[in-house]
Amino acid sequence: MKLTFPHMGYSYVAFKALINELGYEAVVPPEPSKRTMDLGVRYSPEFACIPFKVLMGTFLETIEMGAEMAISSGGVGPCRAGYYGVMHKKILNELGYDFDILIFEPPQSNYLDFIKKLNRVKPRGMSWRVFIQLIKKNYRKLEAIDQIEYLMYRIMPYEINKGDTYRAFKKALNMLDEARTKEEIEDALWEGRKIIARIPQDRSRNPLKIGIVGEIYVVLEPAVNFYIQRTLGEMGVYTDRSIWLTSYTQKNVIVEGRIGEHDIHQMAHPYLNELIGGHGINSIGETVIYANQGYDGMIQLAPFSCLPEIMAKGIMPRVSREVGIPVLTIFIDEQTAAAGVITRLEAFLDLLKRRREQKAQEACNA
Amino acid sequence: MPVRVGIPRYLAYFSYYPWWKTFFEELGFEVITSSPTTKKTLDDGVEEAVNDACIPIKLYHGHVVELKDKVDIIFVPRLVKVRKFFTETFCPKFLALPDLLRASINGLPEILDTRVDLSQGPLELFRISREVGERFGVGLSRISRAYLLACKALRRYKKLMQGGMLADEALQHMEKGGDINRDKKRDLTIAVLGYPYLIYDSFINLDIVKKLRKMGADVVTAEMVSPRSLLREAKRLPKQMFWHYSNRAMHAAYYYMNRKRVDGLIHVTAFICGPDAMLDRLMEIEARQYGQMPFLTVSIDEETGSGGVDTRLEAFIDMLKRRRVQR
Ligand code: SF4
Ligand code: SF4
């Protein structure tokens, strides 16, 4: 059977491996393009959020490529992502496609359902032990991918030859793509990190630091967010984002400063005292945290019409005022043009630079 | 002077007002309700609210603006769950409403953002009522009495609506008594579905309901169906939605498509409403599949001119009438 899955940043490398190793044929979704968007927009409700539309487009593209079934994740709300599957299926059925979408709901919500669905993808004749090992191994691959991507953004603002870091990252990603066994994955990760860390750098720079928060999909998918982290990185800006598929940073980096999910909510409480779905509360809480860590500014990425992020945006001015950090909110839909975003980014960077200089001045005078 | 509590005449107002009003009055508060929505409410709301929000949220801001200098507290309950039903809660914008108001409107009086989560059991509502009452130093017996009367008022309100009254008719009837002159039966029956704050606010929906009646159609709504009948329809959904009002609207749509066939369905939706992006398409698909039920979406935005809506309604009604004759 030919299986596909949603495209999210570089994670396809791990999903592809898992599906193939299970003995299916993976249909790797193309990186979201203008065509994906056009297809998605044509068949989606007008005010569906951009992840919905892109996913719709991806399904249509992968159906063309022969995919018979997709694996995707669900959710318990209250935001729309958890209802995507139902709607995608209904719409595709109306279009006459007999395409199945296997939606994995978070196991806590319905354990039995989760197992049943696992059982559906587990090839007959494969033992559970082997099956789980395969999943674990490829999860490790996913973590490795997160780690090298994370490293890329740390190094980028210091690179001497523009583009070096990204090229090194691609090389590392390729190595991970080719790694088969557990050991090979560890080796590739080790080697990959080395390649990225060793590009020529100018460590005397003191780059602007920007934290990126927002809705998970537009934060994770560079093709939809105008490659924002790479763009900023190559403009010499140090960026950090809070969301990773494997929560790599949550476990390793932020926790070093002892900050976990719970603390993020705690930080948000004076401003937003309720879980509102998506990453709404995180956007608020993390802004506070980044401000406390001395970041210069924040970028909030949000799909147009996104429920939790609109709320977060509405609350943001108060947060920004009280913790003293400028926030730029970028809403993304099919009409958002890259040029406009770049202009806004440049203006924002100017503002941050001026603020820094002002602060330095004040410090001098004091 | 009694404490003046302000109640914005919007959003959940249309579902729970009799409860709130009775309760606060019985506690000895003076209840001040904002006036029915006008152009000014909208303008104020647009001015204050985050500009990417839907109109209902903006309108709510407008109602709060009207109240803010006239009252001591404004009651903005944080509705989280009003029943235990799968993962159902409210639209994220409801969940964040008190926080949003605090961040966007200056010079607010105290916001009473009582958190309402009734999924824990039938005693929860009383516990919450008690908390509110005690916070203002009211004794337990008075709270209990207020609670009972409030529940009674709400039951009556719901009964009236199930009997076929619209929200404003039912409220008027409860306040002034008298009968609503129920006029003769019309040829067509149309189910008008959507969130109560779109269906029952005649300013924002451009008086759709009354217009339909004038054009010769009886209007039925989700509130006219008993909760039990609505719940029976739930199983037609492969997965329940997360938003209380969306589920109600969808269940009502199934009800009017299957149990009590109407001539057509109209879905009233707010421009850029998140849940409705899903709900509207779902209704449309289901209407097609359940025996070609005529379906019309009326989308409301800040500039909806009544001209456009009128023509669409007329065309829809004409189509239904022709269909009638053919059958
Ligand atoms: S978080 Fe926003 S973009 Fe994501 S599903 Fe929810 S509403 Fe859509
Ligand atoms: S349900 Fe729709 S109209 Fe109502 S508050 Fe949410 S987004 Fe706005």
PDB file of all heavy atoms in Angstrom, chain A residues 250-267:
ATOM      1  N   GLN A 250      12.574  21.641  24.521  1.00  0.00           N
ATOM      2  CA  GLN A 250      11.899  21.661  25.815  1.00  0.00           C
ATOM      3  C   GLN A 250      12.631  20.780  26.799  1.00  0.00           C
ATOM      4  O   GLN A 250      12.789  21.114  27.949  1.00  0.00           O
ATOM      5  CB  GLN A 250      10.481  21.162  25.656  1.00  0.00           C
ATOM      6  CG  GLN A 250       9.700  22.057  24.740  1.00  0.00           C
ATOM      7  CD  GLN A 250       8.479  22.603  25.386  1.00  0.00           C
ATOM      8  OE1 GLN A 250       7.776  21.877  26.054  1.00  0.00           O
ATOM      9  NE2 GLN A 250       8.239  23.870  25.208  1.00  0.00           N
ATOM     10  N   LYS A 251      13.055  19.602  26.279  1.00  0.00           N
ATOM     11  CA  LYS A 251      13.705  18.681  27.191  1.00  0.00           C
ATOM     12  C   LYS A 251      15.134  19.104  27.488  1.00  0.00           C
ATOM     13  O   LYS A 251      15.587  19.003  28.595  1.00  0.00           O
ATOM     14  CB  LYS A 251      13.677  17.274  26.612  1.00  0.00           C
ATOM     15  CG  LYS A 251      12.409  16.540  27.021  1.00  0.00           C
ATOM     16  CD  LYS A 251      12.513  15.078  26.673  1.00  0.00           C
ATOM     17  CE  LYS A 251      11.359  14.657  25.786  1.00  0.00           C
ATOM     18  NZ  LYS A 251      11.692  14.417  24.406  1.00  0.00           N
ATOM     19  N   ASN A 252      15.819  19.548  26.482  1.00  0.00           N
ATOM     20  CA  ASN A 252      17.242  19.742  26.661  1.00  0.00           C
ATOM     21  C   ASN A 252      17.661  21.160  26.976  1.00  0.00           C
ATOM     22  O   ASN A 252      18.459  21.381  27.853  1.00  0.00           O
ATOM     23  CB  ASN A 252      17.978  19.284  25.407  1.00  0.00           C
ATOM     24  CG  ASN A 252      17.814  17.804  25.238  1.00  0.00           C
ATOM     25  OD1 ASN A 252      18.462  17.045  25.916  1.00  0.00           O
ATOM     26  ND2 ASN A 252      16.901  17.407  24.388  1.00  0.00           N
ATOM     27  N   VAL A 253      17.132  22.061  26.234  1.00  0.00           N
ATOM     28  CA  VAL A 253      17.678  23.390  26.370  1.00  0.00           C
ATOM     29  C   VAL A 253      16.915  24.236  27.361  1.00  0.00           C
ATOM     30  O   VAL A 253      17.482  24.763  28.305  1.00  0.00           O
ATOM     31  CB  VAL A 253      17.728  24.081  25.000  1.00  0.00           C
ATOM     32  CG1 VAL A 253      18.326  25.455  25.164  1.00  0.00           C
ATOM     33  CG2 VAL A 253      18.572  23.239  24.075  1.00  0.00           C
ATOM     34  N   ILE A 254      15.594  24.320  27.143  1.00  0.00           N
ATOM     35  CA  ILE A 254      14.869  25.197  28.057  1.00  0.00           C
ATOM     36  C   ILE A 254      14.896  24.636  29.463  1.00  0.00           C
ATOM     37  O   ILE A 254      14.998  25.361  30.429  1.00  0.00           O
ATOM     38  CB  ILE A 254      13.428  25.443  27.569  1.00  0.00           C
ATOM     39  CG1 ILE A 254      13.472  26.013  26.164  1.00  0.00           C
ATOM     40  CG2 ILE A 254      12.737  26.423  28.490  1.00  0.00           C
ATOM     41  CD1 ILE A 254      12.183  26.565  25.658  1.00  0.00           C
ATOM     42  N   VAL A 255      14.861  23.309  29.549  1.00  0.00           N
ATOM     43  CA  VAL A 255      14.820  22.722  30.879  1.00  0.00           C
ATOM     44  C   VAL A 255      16.103  22.997  31.659  1.00  0.00           C
ATOM     45  O   VAL A 255      16.105  23.054  32.881  1.00  0.00           O
ATOM     46  CB  VAL A 255      14.491  21.223  30.818  1.00  0.00           C
ATOM     47  CG1 VAL A 255      14.753  20.543  32.143  1.00  0.00           C
ATOM     48  CG2 VAL A 255      13.016  21.060  30.472  1.00  0.00           C
ATOM     49  N   GLU A 256      17.175  23.224  30.936  1.00  0.00           N
ATOM     50  CA  GLU A 256      18.388  23.626  31.648  1.00  0.00           C
ATOM     51  C   GLU A 256      18.120  24.843  32.498  1.00  0.00           C
ATOM     52  O   GLU A 256      18.617  24.992  33.594  1.00  0.00           O
ATOM     53  CB  GLU A 256      19.504  23.943  30.655  1.00  0.00           C
ATOM     54  CG  GLU A 256      20.372  22.748  30.377  1.00  0.00           C
ATOM     55  CD  GLU A 256      21.352  23.031  29.268  1.00  0.00           C
ATOM     56  OE1 GLU A 256      21.780  24.192  29.151  1.00  0.00           O
ATOM     57  OE2 GLU A 256      21.667  22.092  28.523  1.00  0.00           O
ATOM     58  N   GLY A 257      17.315  25.737  31.934  1.00  0.00           N
ATOM     59  CA  GLY A 257      16.872  26.878  32.730  1.00  0.00           C
ATOM     60  C   GLY A 257      15.623  26.525  33.521  1.00  0.00           C
ATOM     61  O   GLY A 257      14.919  27.395  33.963  1.00  0.00           O
ATOM     62  N   ARG A 258      15.316  25.246  33.586  1.00  0.00           N
ATOM     63  CA  ARG A 258      14.171  24.732  34.322  1.00  0.00           C
ATOM     64  C   ARG A 258      12.846  25.314  33.861  1.00  0.00           C
ATOM     65  O   ARG A 258      12.041  25.770  34.652  1.00  0.00           O
ATOM     66  CB  ARG A 258      14.303  24.983  35.820  1.00  0.00           C
ATOM     67  CG  ARG A 258      15.590  24.511  36.391  1.00  0.00           C
ATOM     68  CD  ARG A 258      15.448  23.924  37.773  1.00  0.00           C
ATOM     69  NE  ARG A 258      16.709  23.308  38.147  1.00  0.00           N
ATOM     70  CZ  ARG A 258      17.124  22.133  37.672  1.00  0.00           C
ATOM     71  NH1 ARG A 258      16.373  21.446  36.860  1.00  0.00           N
ATOM     72  NH2 ARG A 258      18.284  21.638  38.026  1.00  0.00           N
ATOM     73  N   ILE A 259      12.650  25.333  32.582  1.00  0.00           N
ATOM     74  CA  ILE A 259      11.378  25.830  32.108  1.00  0.00           C
ATOM     75  C   ILE A 259      10.669  24.764  31.299  1.00  0.00           C
ATOM     76  O   ILE A 259      11.154  24.322  30.274  1.00  0.00           O
ATOM     77  CB  ILE A 259      11.571  27.091  31.240  1.00  0.00           C
ATOM     78  CG1 ILE A 259      12.144  28.193  32.137  1.00  0.00           C
ATOM     79  CG2 ILE A 259      10.251  27.550  30.666  1.00  0.00           C
ATOM     80  CD1 ILE A 259      12.662  29.366  31.376  1.00  0.00           C
ATOM     81  N   GLY A 260       9.561  24.293  31.793  1.00  0.00           N
ATOM     82  CA  GLY A 260       8.787  23.291  31.072  1.00  0.00           C
ATOM     83  C   GLY A 260       7.427  23.857  30.726  1.00  0.00           C
ATOM     84  O   GLY A 260       7.145  25.021  30.972  1.00  0.00           O
ATOM     85  N   GLU A 261       6.603  22.980  30.178  1.00  0.00           N
ATOM     86  CA  GLU A 261       5.263  23.382  29.761  1.00  0.00           C
ATOM     87  C   GLU A 261       4.499  24.077  30.899  1.00  0.00           C
ATOM     88  O   GLU A 261       3.873  25.116  30.715  1.00  0.00           O
ATOM     89  CB  GLU A 261       4.518  22.122  29.306  1.00  0.00           C
ATOM     90  CG  GLU A 261       3.223  22.364  28.589  1.00  0.00           C
ATOM     91  CD  GLU A 261       3.420  22.788  27.132  1.00  0.00           C
ATOM     92  OE1 GLU A 261       4.584  22.809  26.666  1.00  0.00           O
ATOM     93  OE2 GLU A 261       2.425  23.110  26.488  1.00  0.00           O
ATOM     94  N   HIS A 262       4.618  23.487  32.072  1.00  0.00           N
ATOM     95  CA  HIS A 262       3.874  24.018  33.207  1.00  0.00           C
ATOM     96  C   HIS A 262       4.279  25.465  33.504  1.00  0.00           C
ATOM     97  O   HIS A 262       3.440  26.318  33.757  1.00  0.00           O
ATOM     98  CB  HIS A 262       4.120  23.128  34.424  1.00  0.00           C
ATOM     99  CG  HIS A 262       3.445  23.636  35.657  1.00  0.00           C
ATOM    100  ND1 HIS A 262       2.083  23.537  35.823  1.00  0.00           N
ATOM    101  CD2 HIS A 262       3.926  24.288  36.745  1.00  0.00           C
ATOM    102  CE1 HIS A 262       1.756  24.094  36.988  1.00  0.00           C
ATOM    103  NE2 HIS A 262       2.848  24.551  37.567  1.00  0.00           N
ATOM    104  N   ASP A 263       5.570  25.699  33.460  1.00  0.00           N
ATOM    105  CA  ASP A 263       6.035  27.054  33.762  1.00  0.00           C
ATOM    106  C   ASP A 263       5.582  28.052  32.709  1.00  0.00           C
ATOM    107  O   ASP A 263       5.305  29.201  33.013  1.00  0.00           O
ATOM    108  CB  ASP A 263       7.556  27.067  33.841  1.00  0.00           C
ATOM    109  CG  ASP A 263       8.054  26.092  34.882  1.00  0.00           C
ATOM    110  OD1 ASP A 263       8.229  24.909  34.538  1.00  0.00           O
ATOM    111  OD2 ASP A 263       8.221  26.502  36.024  1.00  0.00           O
ATOM    112  N   ILE A 264       5.529  27.567  31.473  1.00  0.00           N
ATOM    113  CA  ILE A 264       5.096  28.460  30.407  1.00  0.00           C
ATOM    114  C   ILE A 264       3.676  28.937  30.706  1.00  0.00           C
ATOM    115  O   ILE A 264       3.367  30.125  30.616  1.00  0.00           O
ATOM    116  CB  ILE A 264       5.144  27.730  29.042  1.00  0.00           C
ATOM    117  CG1 ILE A 264       6.604  27.405  28.699  1.00  0.00           C
ATOM    118  CG2 ILE A 264       4.518  28.575  27.959  1.00  0.00           C
ATOM    119  CD1 ILE A 264       6.785  26.576  27.469  1.00  0.00           C
ATOM    120  N   HIS A 265       2.835  28.009  31.106  1.00  0.00           N
ATOM    121  CA  HIS A 265       1.461  28.389  31.440  1.00  0.00           C
ATOM    122  C   HIS A 265       1.439  29.321  32.645  1.00  0.00           C
ATOM    123  O   HIS A 265       0.703  30.298  32.681  1.00  0.00           O
ATOM    124  CB  HIS A 265       0.620  27.143  31.720  1.00  0.00           C
ATOM    125  CG  HIS A 265       0.447  26.281  30.507  1.00  0.00           C
ATOM    126  ND1 HIS A 265      -0.173  25.071  30.531  1.00  0.00           N
ATOM    127  CD2 HIS A 265       0.826  26.480  29.222  1.00  0.00           C
ATOM    128  CE1 HIS A 265      -0.164  24.544  29.308  1.00  0.00           C
ATOM    129  NE2 HIS A 265       0.446  25.377  28.503  1.00  0.00           N
ATOM    130  N   GLN A 266       2.285  28.996  33.606  1.00  0.00           N
ATOM    131  CA  GLN A 266       2.372  29.826  34.798  1.00  0.00           C
ATOM    132  C   GLN A 266       2.705  31.277  34.430  1.00  0.00           C
ATOM    133  O   GLN A 266       2.121  32.217  34.939  1.00  0.00           O
ATOM    134  CB  GLN A 266       3.485  29.252  35.691  1.00  0.00           C
ATOM    135  CG  GLN A 266       3.226  29.321  37.166  1.00  0.00           C
ATOM    136  CD  GLN A 266       1.887  28.722  37.542  1.00  0.00           C
ATOM    137  OE1 GLN A 266       1.506  27.666  37.056  1.00  0.00           O
ATOM    138  NE2 GLN A 266       1.150  29.418  38.396  1.00  0.00           N
ATOM    139  N   MET A 267       3.652  31.410  33.502  1.00  0.00           N
ATOM    140  CA  MET A 267       4.074  32.739  33.079  1.00  0.00           C
ATOM    141  C   MET A 267       2.952  33.490  32.383  1.00  0.00           C
ATOM    142  O   MET A 267       2.886  34.708  32.415  1.00  0.00           O
ATOM    143  CB  MET A 267       5.253  32.622  32.095  1.00  0.00           C
ATOM    144  CG  MET A 267       6.527  32.181  32.734  1.00  0.00           C
ATOM    145  SD  MET A 267       6.970  33.360  33.986  1.00  0.00           S
ATOM    146  CE  MET A 267       8.688  33.028  34.162  1.00  0.00           C
TER     147      MET A 267
END
